[in-house]
Amino acid sequence: MPQTDPSYARLPARFFARVAPVAVADPQLLALNLPLAEALGIDPVWLAGAEGVSMLAGNTLPGWATPIAQAYAGHQFGSFVPQLGDGRALLLAEILAPGGGRFDLVLKGSGQTPFSRRGDGRAWLGPVLREYLVSEAMAALGVPTTRALAAVATGEVVWREEGALPGAILARVAASHIRVGTFEYFAARRDTKALALLAEHTRARHFPLADGALGLLASAVAAQARLVSDWMSFGFIHGVMNTDNMAVSGETIDYGPCAFIDAYHPDRVFSSIDRHGRYAYAQQPNVALWNLAQLASALLPLIGEGEAGVEAASAALDGFWPALSAAWSARFAAKIGLASARTGDHALIETLLARMARQGSDFTRVFHGLADGSARDEFADRAAFDAWAVDWHARLSHEQDPQAVMRAANPARIPRNHRIAEVIAAAVTGEMAPFARLHAALSVPYEERPEWADLSDAPAADEAVTRTYCGT
Ligand code: AMP
Ligand code: MG
């Protein structure tokens, strides 16, 4: 039995709704993250057994669960929605891990709640396996993220635009599920008491060294700047950076229409609903800052009313670009073999990216191929790469061990869209072996292994997945 402490469920009743999961017909375990279970202090044998699976399906809960649906608001594509909330998810427990740390255990797809609006409260197998694979890949890459503990098939059908689909539930683990939109929820209601409680809860939980609401804001700004730099350094596009999908902790959350870029272009968009490119690859820093400005304005009553409050909040937001620039430069410098970035390196990196964009080179293959000389093969016009490589080699001559730096920064494998699509198509027919293979390969993304060579390939023209869906 894990050690638990329901600190969020102890907040006032208006923070959430107490609601139990809705039982499902025939739960079947699809995937289980044993190392994560152990790290949480959950007995893996129990979790894989009848009682554990019953909990993961939401059919019966152990005594230590205190299920709640959290209230939050959010700006969706720029428009404010004063009430969203967990419409198909429940926070089961906060687990105190034996090795330290507090983690939310959430079921996603566990049935309707008072926040479901017109939704059925469910998820289908595709997005559940997608989130499992991509969030675990992100963790293996070293990017702050929610984790996947388990995926369970419900034995029920879910109706979506595509028709009848197999239902599933994801068990997700996170530092917390406190979003920018959680603050907006109380700010919109002018509930300053609740805001103060939420700010203190969040500060103490994620940024214990921060001073008050202003310190919380500054810390959240720094954490998001680092996170977005991490995303960009792996070619990751979140796809739906609404304020309700931004965790204040600085973890990646809500893997909906996300995608890793294959053919690089800064304006790349995958999400079917992002018609104007609001959440395009290179827009992500701007959007993160826009979201943080919503957090700042929600926190204003705590930071201070009037001119002084606005100035203090603005100064905290001003920390974003320097933090982003430093993190971005460090990440991309390492990708081209530089132990640290110097003046001029930024331009060197930008030149490479511009040439990749012009030729639609594969993002992951170019960077991974810098260490072994195969990068130039990713350029239809090799001369464009060679010209850049002259400056690059000149710069590398000042470095100690650029090969090692590059190998640690550039994965051989990322979760490619067409591979995820294959895995889901197989899983729908009951075949989980492709999932297991892809999951295993993504758990050691920096290791080159001949048996997984196909997973490093860029999609052929007829394989490429160019659109991704929210999957609600
Ligand atoms: P998302 O686009 O997944 O971030 O979800 C936005 C909002 O819609 C959140 O409040 C979700 O809880 C809610 N939502 C999404 N899908 C469903 C569903 N199938 N049933 C109920 N609520 C949902
Ligand atoms: Mg969401």
Side-chain angles (χ1 to χ4, degrees), residues 23 29 60 75 119 125 154 157 174 181 190 210-211 260 272 274 285 293 352 376 416 443 456 458 471:
L29 194 58
T60 53
H75 276 90
L125 183 63
T154 60
V157 151
R190 307 203 180 287
D211 188 9
F260 284 78
S272 61
D274 189 4
L352 176 63
R376 80 189 287 272
R416 291 182 179 272
S443 68
S456 293

Side-chain angles (χ1 to χ4, degrees), residues 162-427:
E162 302 91 317
L165 298 164
I169 296 174
L170 179 77
R172 174 161 83 188
V173 172
S176 85
H177 286 74
I178 299 164
R179 305 144 194 269
V180 169
T182 317
F183 287 88
E184 291 179 288
Y185 179 86
F186 295 111
R189 284 161 181 74
R190 307 203 180 287
D191 188 345
T192 310
K193 260 207 177 111
L195 264 181
L197 286 170
L198 180 64
E200 179 47 25
H201 176 97
T202 310
R203 188 202 63 76
R205 190 161 170 180
H206 298 305
F207 308 108
L209 302 179
D211 188 9
L214 188 59
L216 167 64
L217 176 62
S219 303
V221 166
Q224 282 311 319
R226 275 198 303 275
L227 180 64
V228 171
S229 306
D230 284 357
W231 289 354
M232 295 186 80
S233 79
F234 295 112
F236 179 76
I237 308 176
H238 181 284
V240 60
M241 289 175 72
N242 295 331
T243 56
D244 53 304
N245 293 336
M246 185 189 264
V248 176
S249 66
E251 286 185 338
T252 313
I253 188 172
D254 237 310
Y255 291 87
C258 64
F260 284 78
I261 271 193
D262 30 48
Y264 173 70
H265 197 285
D267 301 335
R268 193 75 180 84
V269 172
F270 285 87
S271 168
S272 61
I273 55 169
D274 189 4
R275 289 195 193 86
H276 305 290
R278 181 182 172 88
Y279 301 139
Y281 173 79
Q283 280 303 314
Q284 296 182 115
N286 294 320
V287 176
L289 179 56
W290 191 90
N291 290 349
L292 290 163
Q294 309 315 307
L295 176 63
S297 91
L299 287 171
L300 261 187
L302 307 178
I303 293 172
E305 296 291 1
E307 197 107 335
V310 172
E311 258 173 44
S314 301
L317 292 172
D318 286 344
F320 182 79
W321 288 115
L324 184 102
S325 176
W328 189 94
S329 295
R331 278 284 193 182
F332 276 87
K335 291 181 84 67
I336 64 167
L338 312 177
S340 64
R342 299 183 191 167
T343 15
D345 291 344
H346 194 102
L348 188 65
I349 297 160
E350 287 289 4
T351 304
L352 176 63
L353 287 170
R355 287 177 196 192
M356 288 163 59
R358 206 164 309 132
Q359 305 198 30
S361 308
D362 185 85
F363 185 92
T364 304
R365 292 182 66 84
V366 167
F367 284 107
H368 186 257
L370 288 175
D372 65 12
S374 65
R376 80 189 287 272
D377 302 339
E378 303 300 323
F379 292 77
D381 173 12
R382 303 236 186 338
F385 175 80
D386 293 342
W388 175 81
V390 172
D391 293 339
W392 177 49
H393 284 130
R395 175 66 181 85
L396 281 190
S397 63
H398 302 283
E399 294 291 314
Q400 291 279 325
D401 191 358
Q403 295 289 325
V405 173
M406 283 188 273
R407 273 195 302 272
N410 298 317
R413 287 173 302 279
I414 41 106
R416 291 182 179 272
N417 294 316
H418 65 300
R419 297 302 182 198
I420 299 174
E422 281 172 8
V423 160
I424 293 171

